[in-house]
């Protein structure tokens, strides 16, 4: 992959990661989850919220894996 394509891909991944973080922050009403991770998610008051943050957290993990190959 060329350098410009690599940088473009990384930029797009960063945008997706930022969106995922914003969504998790909305649901959690805090950014403490970044420090506590799943422990914080387990404290949420509804299964829908837990499912939503787990989805976005999974996206963040996938993005980090992809970045390691770029």
């Amino acid at each position: 992959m060329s350098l410009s394509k690599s940088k473009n891909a990384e930029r797009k991944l960063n945008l997706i990661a930022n969106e995922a973080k914003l969504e998790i922050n909305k649901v959690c009403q805090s950014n403490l989850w970044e420090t506590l991770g799943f422990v914080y998610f387990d404290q949420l008051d509804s299964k829908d919220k837990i499912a939503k943050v787990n989805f976005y957290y999974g996206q963040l993990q996938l993005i980090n894996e992809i970045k390691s190959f770029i």
Side-chain angles (χ1 to χ4, degrees), residues 3-4 6 9-10 13 17 19-22 24 26 28 30-31 34-36 60 63 65:
L3 182 62
S4 64
S6 174
E10 190 169 349
L13 288 171
E19 182 180 332
K21 287 178 183 179
L22 286 173
I24 296 173
K26 282 182 194 176
C28 294
S30 167
N31 65 347
E34 292 185 53
T35 312
L36 302 174
L60 290 175
I63 289 167
E65 274 187 54

Side-chain angles (χ1 to χ4, degrees), residues 2-55:
S2 71
L3 182 62
S4 64
K5 285 184 180 181
S6 174
K7 294 229 180 237
N8 193 28
E10 190 169 349
R11 202 170 311 131
K12 288 178 181 180
L13 288 171
N14 286 337
L15 288 171
I16 296 168
N18 288 337
E19 182 180 332
K21 287 178 183 179
L22 286 173
E23 289 298 319
I24 296 173
N25 286 341
K26 282 182 194 176
V27 174
C28 294
Q29 298 176 339
S30 167
N31 65 347
L32 285 174
W33 63 270
E34 292 185 53
T35 312
L36 302 174
F38 286 117
V39 173
Y40 192 87
F41 299 160
D42 290 339
Q43 305 301 316
L44 294 172
D45 59 359
S46 83
K47 290 182 181 184
D48 290 338
K49 288 181 179 181
I50 293 170
K52 188 171 186 175
V53 296
N54 280 327
F55 172 78

